[in-house]
Amino acid sequence: MSLYIASLNSGSNGNCYYVGNGQEAILVDAGISCRETERRMARIGLSMQTVKAIFVSHEHTDHISGIPVLAKKYSLPVYITDATLYHGNIDIKRDQVITFKPYEPVTIGELAIQAFPKFHDAAEPHSFIVNGNNVNIGIFTDIGSPCDHLVLHFKHCHAAFLEANYDEDMLENGSYPRHLKNRIRGGHGHLSNKQALEVFTKHRPSYMSHLFLAHLSRDNNSPQLVQQLFDEHAGNTQIIIASRFEETAVYHVQATHDKEHISLPQKSDSPLRIKPSYTQLRLW
C-alpha cells in the first residue's frame, strides 16, 4: 500500500519527477539529459528499466530537453497534448506519442495518471495526480495562481510536489526587469512562497505525509528561507526541498488506514479558462 517518489531535478535549469510502485514507474517531465537522469536515478537506487512512460506538463525547455534521447533509448511512450508537442517541437517518433485529455485517467500498469489544466504561460499546461496502491501523489509546479482545480486535487494527496518559486520581497527588490517580475507574479507565471504556504495550510489533508517544495528560483528565493517558513506549519508532514542541483532521496509514501479508498477527483463543474501564451523565455 505505498508509492515511491523522488525529484531528480527541480528548477528553471531542468525538471524531472519520479513516481513508482516498485514494479513500474513514470517520469513527469524530463528536463535534464538522459545521462544525468540515469546517473541520478542510480545514485538513489532507481533504474530506468522500471520507467514505463514520460508525462509532459508543458513545452518549456526545462521540462522537455531530455525527452528525445530518453524516449529513443528506452522506447518510452510520451504522453503529451497536441499543442504541447507542436509548440515544443520535440523530436520523437510519432508512434511513441500518445495524447492525453484532462480528467481522463491513463493506466500504466498499476498506476493511474490523471491530468488537469493549470494557469501558466504555455500552450496547454497541465498538472498531474498519480494514483497507485490507494496513494495519491500530486505534481503541481509552474502554476501562475492557486486555482480551484489545484485546491481540489491538493486536498486528496498523500504527498505532493508543490511549487514555491519566489519570495515576494526578493523578487520585488531583485535585479529582474519590471516586465519579467510582472510575468512571474502576474497569474500565468509561478507561485510565490506565500501562495504555496496558503495552499498547504488551508487545504492539506490530515494524512499528507510528504510535501516537496519545487521549482525554487535561483535568484528570487532561498532554500533555507522556504524550509524554515514551511517547517513552522508542517505538523506531521515532512517538508523536503527539491533541489535545482541534485536529486532528493527516494521517499516511501503509504496509504493511511482511515483513507483506504481515496478516489481521484472528478471533473470540475467550473472550467479553467486559460489564455495561451507561447513565450519560451526561461529566467525564473
Side-chain angles (χ1 to χ4, degrees):
M1 306 296 289
S2 61
L3 291 179
Y4 300 90
I5 63 175
S7 169
L8 301 182
N9 201 82
S10 186
S12 59
N13 61 333
N15 296 272
C16 188
Y17 307 101
Y18 174 99
V19 182
N21 60 13
Q23 292 75 47
E24 59 255 337
I26 66 160
L27 298 179
V28 174
D29 294 333
I32 56 178
S33 71
C34 176
R35 182 174 296 179
E36 193 60 28
T37 300
E38 293 168 334
R39 285 174 177 168
R40 295 185 182 200
M41 289 181 65
R43 286 199 293 256
I44 53 178
L46 301 174
S47 170
M48 276 299 301
Q49 300 303 324
T50 65
V51 176
K52 307 303 180 185
I54 302 170
F55 284 76
V56 185
S57 66
H58 64 289
E59 73 274 12
H60 292 158
T61 55
D62 54 320
H63 296 260
I64 65 172
S65 62
I67 290 175
V69 177
L70 273 171
K72 180 178 180 180
K73 182 173 181 178
Y74 293 99
S75 300
L76 294 173
V78 177
Y79 288 81
I80 189 170
T81 68
D82 289 336
T84 298
L85 180 65
Y86 175 79
H87 288 281
N89 193 27
I90 306 172
D91 183 18
I92 48 178
K93 294 180 179 179
R94 187 64 211 182
D95 62 3
Q96 290 180 266
V97 174
I98 303 176
T99 58
F100 66 80
K101 295 181 179 180
Y103 294 102
E104 293 186 3
V106 174
T107 300
I108 304 292
E110 298 298 318
L111 301 174
I113 301 91
Q114 183 172 279
F116 66 94
K118 62 184 177 182
F119 290 116
H120 193 52
D121 63 343
E124 208 168 38
H126 288 83
S127 293
F128 297 97
I129 289 273
V130 183
N131 176 272
N133 294 333
N134 291 318
V135 175
N136 286 336
I137 307 296
I139 300 93
F140 312 132
T141 72
D142 297 76
I143 298 172
S145 62
C147 66
D148 290 344
H149 286 193
L150 171 62
V151 169
L152 171 68
H153 288 80
F154 192 82
K155 289 179 177 180
H156 290 261
C157 287
H158 293 83
F161 299 89
L162 178 65
E163 176 170 75
N165 180 256
Y166 64 95
D167 173 79
E168 293 176 350
D169 290 336
M170 290 179 68
L171 178 65
E172 174 60 29
N173 298 316
S175 61
Y176 283 10
R178 178 62 54 181
H179 72 89
L180 182 54
K181 292 178 182 180
N182 290 338
R183 278 181 53 201
I184 292 169
R185 62 193 175 192
H188 283 78
H190 293 274
L191 285 187
S192 70
N193 297 345
K194 181 180 178 180
Q195 289 172 308
L197 182 64
E198 184 173 359
V199 171
F200 178 60
T201 56
K202 287 188 176 182
H203 305 296
R204 64 169 166 172
S206 61
Y207 50 86
M208 179 174 279
S209 60
H210 300 79
L211 182 71
F212 290 71
L213 297 171
H215 215 301
L216 273 66
S217 171
R218 179 191 62 189
D219 301 312
N220 301 307
N221 215 342
S222 159
Q224 295 76 21
L225 173 66
V226 177
Q227 185 82 57
Q228 180 178 356
L229 178 64
F230 277 77
D231 279 347
E232 293 175 359
H233 303 273
N236 294 325
T237 304
Q238 183 176 356
I239 306 297
I240 303 108
I241 303 298
S243 173
R244 62 186 293 115
F245 302 112
E246 61 185 1
E247 69 281 4
T248 66
V250 179
Y251 290 85
H252 184 198
V253 182
Q254 295 181 291
T256 53
H257 293 298
D258 59 336
K259 293 288 180 179
E260 288 295 334
H261 300 287
I262 299 174
S263 60
L264 292 172
Q266 299 302 306
K267 186 173 182 179
S268 171
D269 292 333
S270 301
L272 181 59
R273 304 183 186 278
I274 297 177
K275 181 180 179 181
S277 175
Y278 304 138
T279 180
Q280 292 290 318
L281 184 61
R282 314 306 311 154
L283 296 177
W284 305 340

